[in-house]
């Protein structure tokens, strides 16, 4: 009798595993970046500053930075480089830049409130920039945020080879100098 009860309990436990409720669904963060841009521009308007424009390539760079901060929460990238090296990967030419990062806030209003309470983050939000990219990444139920601010470079865009790693740029210069010298 005990064996049948144990067998029945084992079968019920197995069935409960098959029909268990799915894990909590990930948050829908699809509109979060646009809302952060809107909130940034509202803060800038209150301060009498011009609105920042959204920029697709800058948002892609910010999205990559948000993912990287989930691995290493720092303004230094996981490979050890400056946070601004991501801009070169997306072909973004700029004369000055800023980065805000955060994690744990549940939505755009909460992260903006946290940034505005910090003098350094607020300085970026109200800084002398003209474009903003926002990234939001969720990992294990926690949101990671990144804002990339730039002042675009006036004039011609930077040559594509100047966005390559420094060691490769020097190798090309040495090769070019040697080729010219040997002529």
């Amino acid at each position: 009798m005990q064996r049948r009860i144990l067998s029945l309990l084992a079968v019920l436990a197995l069935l409960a595993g098959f029909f268990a409720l799915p894990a909590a669904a990930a948050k829908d963060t699809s509109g979060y970046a646009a809302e952060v841009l809107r909130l940034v521009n509202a803060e800038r308007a209150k301060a009498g500053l011009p609105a920042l424009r959204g920029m697709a390539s800058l948002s892609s760079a910010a999205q990559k930075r948000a993912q990287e901060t989930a691995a290493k929460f720092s303004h230094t990238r996981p490979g050890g480089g400056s946070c601004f090296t991501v801009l070169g990967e997306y072909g973004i030419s700029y004369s000055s830049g800023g980065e805000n990062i955060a994690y744990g806030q549940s939505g755009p209003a909460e992260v903006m409130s946290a940034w505005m309470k910090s003098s350094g983050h607020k300085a970026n939000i109200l800084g002398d920039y003209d474009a903003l990219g926002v990234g939001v990444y969720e990992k294990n139920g926690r949101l990671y945020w990144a804002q990339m601010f730039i002042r675009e470079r006036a004039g011609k865009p930077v040559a594509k080879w100047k966005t390559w790693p420094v060691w490769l740029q020097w190798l090309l210069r040495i090769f070019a100098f040697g080729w010219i010298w040997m002529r």
Side-chain angles (χ1 to χ4, degrees), residues 1-16:
M1 180 72 160
Q2 282 183 342
R3 196 177 262 177
R4 284 187 180 178
I5 292 174
L6 288 175
S7 296
L8 181 61
L9 287 174
V11 168
L12 287 174
L14 200 66
L15 287 173

Side-chain angles (χ1 to χ4, degrees), residues 31-44 51-55 59 108 112 115 125 130-134 147 149:
Y32 282 12
E35 179 62 7
V36 168
L37 176 61
R38 188 191 71 75
L39 291 169
V40 164
N41 284 331
E43 291 294 339
R44 290 178 65 84
L52 299 179
R53 69 179 184 81
M55 190 172 158
S59 291
M112 277 299 295
W115 279 329
I125 290 168
D130 49 32
L132 170 65
V134 179
Q147 290 179 316
F149 300 87

Side-chain angles (χ1 to χ4, degrees), residues 65-66 68-76 101-104 121 144-145:
R65 285 294 298 135
E68 289 177 349
T69 60
K72 178 183 179 185
F73 191 74
S74 173
H75 292 291
T76 302
I101 57 175
Y103 73 94
H121 295 107
Y144 293 83
W145 304 84

Side-chain angles (χ1 to χ4, degrees), residues 109-157:
E110 190 177 340
V111 76
M112 277 299 295
S113 175
W115 279 329
M116 291 304 288
K117 289 176 185 170
S118 161
S119 61
H121 295 107
K122 184 177 181 178
N124 278 339
I125 290 168
L126 302 179
D128 187 23
Y129 301 113
D130 49 32
L132 170 65
V134 179
V136 184
Y137 177 68
E138 183 176 6
K139 182 178 180 183
N140 299 327
R142 176 175 280 167
L143 295 178
Y144 293 83
W145 304 84
Q147 290 179 316
M148 298 295 297
F149 300 87
I150 64 163
R151 166 147 296 288
E152 292 183 282
R153 184 182 306 273
K156 295 195 316 188

